[in-house]
């Protein structure tokens, strides 16, 4: 390692934050490959008395480095919180499981009693779940309260392994007289589908202590939703249920509505973009009238709900004195329906609780009959039967099937989203399901003369960027190129105003306008780095971006690796111009 690199690493390590038992290397963009690269970190861990929390997120850790860190953790029995999200960026997938095994074994050896385990955004697939399987089954996780595995690409196979590990953990801890009391479970964007969700539902039903469940964007249809509904009945302390961007249809929505009747502590329900449809919405409205006394937020947006059912939902929240937001945007109310819902909310002095209805899709066409909901559900049943037959015929291919869960996109859901649905709640699956014409469809939707909206669209598209998924990566970059090339080739487009808006929304520039900063994710910066390299991006605009990126700013610290690559590219292009 060059002397300059050693000095830079030492400076980064010196900035590690210490806060009430926490040692943090969060967002420092450290590239830790071997034992030498972690010498200083290991020394600090070993010398830190009463270490309760270790933050390693936003760095990249190789197998040898992980094994060396693990050795230092073997004596840290007080460790309770492992914030280890996004710590394998750029690593080959075969490197990740052995690294996880080493760290997990160290926690077991130390006799740690974990409360929080966060491995989100590590894209480790089913094999990565196997890497933490032993840890999850061990006594170190008998005390676990929060498990965060968002955006890990677990697939069906990983979901089943995880469910089995949690079940074993609960049984073994119960046998010792102190059952697992898991409170928070987060596993969005994992392609769990019905089988993975059903396996986890069985574990949830056994555990019974959940307070928050977040499983958005998992390709779950009504069989999986129904299984989750049954499980939720057995978790009486549930406060937050987020299943956004799965596909309930009528049957799943009715099952979930019935389950919610058994729960009195729910505060937040997010069933947005779940295709609950009118009958499902009516069932949920009935549940609202009968229960859910402390509900604060209800999201039923983009669910193909028509006017009458939406009115039922609006009326049903009348006695919810803690309600803060009702979201019915993107449904099929029509102008009169939207006005009717507003009037109902105003009559109850709750107009300020109703979210925007600006993306309403209008009244459904006469030939759009909700009876075809049953057809969708029947199709789902047929799919399940076919899957079962295939499993019986080819159980020997199970391993191959599990590996493929991470690399292949989920099967298509019953409907194809439109551009407005994608831009309202972006997800990789929605972008892919727009089809090969996605770039032109998005291009047609965007008003290039509204620079604020342009910046917002750029950030929404880039937010779903996945460097390890070639299909999603290509779709995102093609869409970005289509939108920006159209803008910059339009003579009246105010390019510098667009850049200014972008800087405001990235938290790099203050503004008195209505624009608000967003939560920055690596995709924002990776797509911007791609864009500035293209011929359509003006050279003088690059100079402006370079000036702002050169400043110290906390808003990009969580994406330090992507930030540094962008800064390098901007500096290089500025020097060349």
């Amino acid at each position: 390692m060059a002397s300059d690199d050693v000095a830079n690493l030492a400076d980064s390590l010196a900035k590690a934050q210490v806060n009430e038992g926490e040692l943090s290397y969060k967002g420092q963009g450290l590239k830790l490959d071997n034992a030498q690269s972690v010498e200083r970190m290991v020394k600090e861990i070993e010398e830190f008395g009463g270490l309760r929390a270790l933050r390693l997120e936003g760095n990249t850790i190789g197998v040898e480095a992980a094994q060396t860190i693990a050795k230092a953790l073997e004596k840290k029995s007080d460790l309770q919180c492992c914030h280890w999200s996004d710590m394998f960026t750029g690593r080959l997938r075969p490197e990740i499981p052995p690294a996880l095994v080493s760290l997990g074994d160290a926690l077991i050896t130390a006799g740690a009693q974990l409360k929080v385990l966060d491995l989100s955004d590590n894209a480790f697939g089913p094999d990565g779940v196997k890497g933490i399987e032993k840890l999850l089954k061990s006594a170190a996780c008998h005390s676990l309260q929060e498990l965060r595995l968002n955006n890990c690409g677990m697939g069906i196979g990983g979901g089943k392994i995880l469910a089995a590990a949690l079940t074993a953990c609960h049984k073994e801890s119960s046998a010792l007289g102190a059952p697992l009391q898991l409170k928070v479970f987060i596993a969005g964007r994992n392609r769990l589908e019905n089988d993975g969700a059903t396996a986890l539902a069985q574990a949830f039903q056994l555990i019974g202590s959940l307070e928050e469940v977040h499983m958005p964007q998992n390709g779950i249809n009504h069989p999986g939703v129904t299984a989750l509904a049954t499980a939720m009945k057995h978790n009486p302390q549930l406060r937050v249920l987020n299943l956004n961007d799965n596909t309930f249809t009528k049957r799943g929505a009715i099952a979930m509505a019935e389950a919610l009747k058994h729960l009195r502590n729910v505060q937040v329900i997010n069933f947005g973009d779940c295709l609950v449809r009118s009958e499902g919405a009516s069932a949920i409205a009935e549940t609202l009238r009968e229960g859910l006394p402390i509900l604060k937020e209800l999201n039923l947006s983009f669910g193909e709900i028509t006017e009458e059912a939406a009115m039922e939902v609006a009326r049903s929240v009348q006695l919810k004195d803690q309600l803060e937001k009702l979201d019915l945007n993107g449904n099929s109310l029509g102008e009169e329906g939207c006005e009717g819902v507003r009037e109902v909310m105003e009559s109850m002095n709750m107009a300020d609780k109703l979210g925007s209805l600006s993306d309403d899709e209008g009244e459904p066409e006469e030939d759009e009959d909700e009876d075809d909901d049953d057809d969708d559900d029947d199709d789902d049943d047929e799919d399940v039967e076919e899957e079962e037959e295939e499993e019986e015929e080819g159980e020997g291919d199970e391993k191959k099937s599990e590996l493929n869960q991470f690399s292949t996109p989920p099967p298509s859901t019953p409907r194809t989203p439109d551009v407005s649905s994608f831009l309202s709640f972006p997800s990789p699956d929605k972008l892919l399901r727009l089809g090969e014409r996605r770039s032109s469809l998005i291009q047609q939707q965007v008003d290039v003369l509204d620079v604020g909206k342009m910046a917002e669209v750029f950030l929404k598209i880039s937010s779903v960027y996945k460097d390890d998924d070639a299909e999603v990566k290509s779709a995102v970059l093609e869409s970005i190129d289509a939108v920006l090339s159209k803008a910059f080739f339009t003579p009246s487009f105010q390019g510098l105003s667009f850049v200014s808006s972008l800087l405001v929304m990235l938290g790099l520039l203050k503004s008195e306008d209505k624009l608000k900063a967003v939560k920055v994710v690596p995709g924002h910066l990776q797509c911007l780095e791609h864009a500035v390299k293209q011929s359509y991006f003006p050279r003088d605009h690059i100079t402006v971006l370079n000036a702002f990126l050169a400043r110290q700013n906390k808003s990009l610290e969580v994406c330090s690796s992507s930030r540094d690559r962008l800064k390098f590219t901007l500096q290089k292009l500025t020097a060349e111009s």
Side-chain angles (χ1 to χ4, degrees), residues 119-293:
L119 289 166
S120 298
D121 301 317
N122 277 313
F124 46 49
D127 289 344
V129 185
K130 292 178 182 177
I132 59 172
E133 183 179 11
K134 180 181 176 182
L135 172 64
L136 290 173
K137 290 180 177 180
S138 75
C141 285
H142 287 182
S143 53
L144 193 64
Q145 295 180 7
E146 298 185 17
L147 179 58
R148 301 170 181 267
L149 296 169
N150 201 57
N151 191 31
C152 288
M154 291 189 288
I156 294 173
K160 289 181 176 180
I161 297 167
L162 176 60
L166 290 174
T167 299
C169 182
H170 184 270
K171 289 182 177 178
E172 291 178 19
S173 59
S174 297
L176 295 173
L180 172 66
Q181 294 286 303
L182 188 66
K183 295 180 179 179
V184 177
F185 179 84
I186 300 176
R189 297 177 65 180
N190 271 291
R191 301 180 180 179
L192 295 169
E193 300 182 28
N194 290 331
D195 288 351
T198 299
L200 285 166
Q202 292 170 352
F204 296 162
Q205 184 168 333
L206 181 67
I207 293 168
S209 57
L210 289 166
E211 296 180 9
E212 293 188 28
V213 174
H214 302 261
M215 297 174 66
Q217 299 178 21
N218 269 298
I220 306 170
N221 297 326
H222 81 81
V225 173
T226 301
L228 288 170
T230 301
M232 293 307 107
K233 292 180 187 178
H234 298 269
N235 287 268
Q237 299 306 314
L238 189 70
R239 294 183 295 104
V240 178
L241 182 57
N242 175 10
L243 296 175
N244 186 282
D245 198 10
N246 290 292
T247 308
F248 284 33
T249 62
K250 176 181 68 180
R251 291 168 64 179
I254 291 174
M256 192 60 73
E258 287 297 315
L260 290 171
K261 289 180 180 179
H262 297 264
L263 304 171
R264 305 287 296 175
N265 294 302
V266 176
Q267 298 178 10
V268 178
I269 297 173
N270 186 345
F271 296 161
D273 204 40
C274 283
L275 203 67
V276 298
R277 293 197 169 139
S278 296
E279 287 193 57
S282 295
I284 292 170
E286 180 184 342
T287 297
L288 285 165
R289 287 191 293 271
E290 298 177 4
L292 301 174

Side-chain angles (χ1 to χ4, degrees), residues 12 20 37 228 327 335 383 402 433 521 537 546 565:
S12 295
E20 296 184 2
S37 67
L228 288 170
D327 191 345
E335 290 185 16
D383 291 341
E402 286 182 7
R433 281 165 26 215
V521 298
F537 206 98
N546 183 47
R565 289 198 297 270

Side-chain angles (χ1 to χ4, degrees), residues 16-60:
Q17 300 170 7
V18 180
N19 182 26
E20 296 184 2
E22 178 181 282
L23 183 58
S24 176
Y25 302 92
K26 179 180 178 179
Q28 294 187 11
L30 303 175
K31 191 173 187 296
L32 308 173
D33 296 321
N34 50 39
Q36 181 186 359
S37 67
V38 294
E39 283 181 357
R40 178 78 174 274
M41 180 186 288
V42 165
K43 186 172 185 292
E44 291 191 357
I45 291 173
E46 290 175 340
E47 294 177 352
F48 196 111
L51 180 64
R52 294 183 180 276
L54 179 61
R55 308 196 76 106
L56 296 176
E57 62 263 58
N59 300 291
T60 177

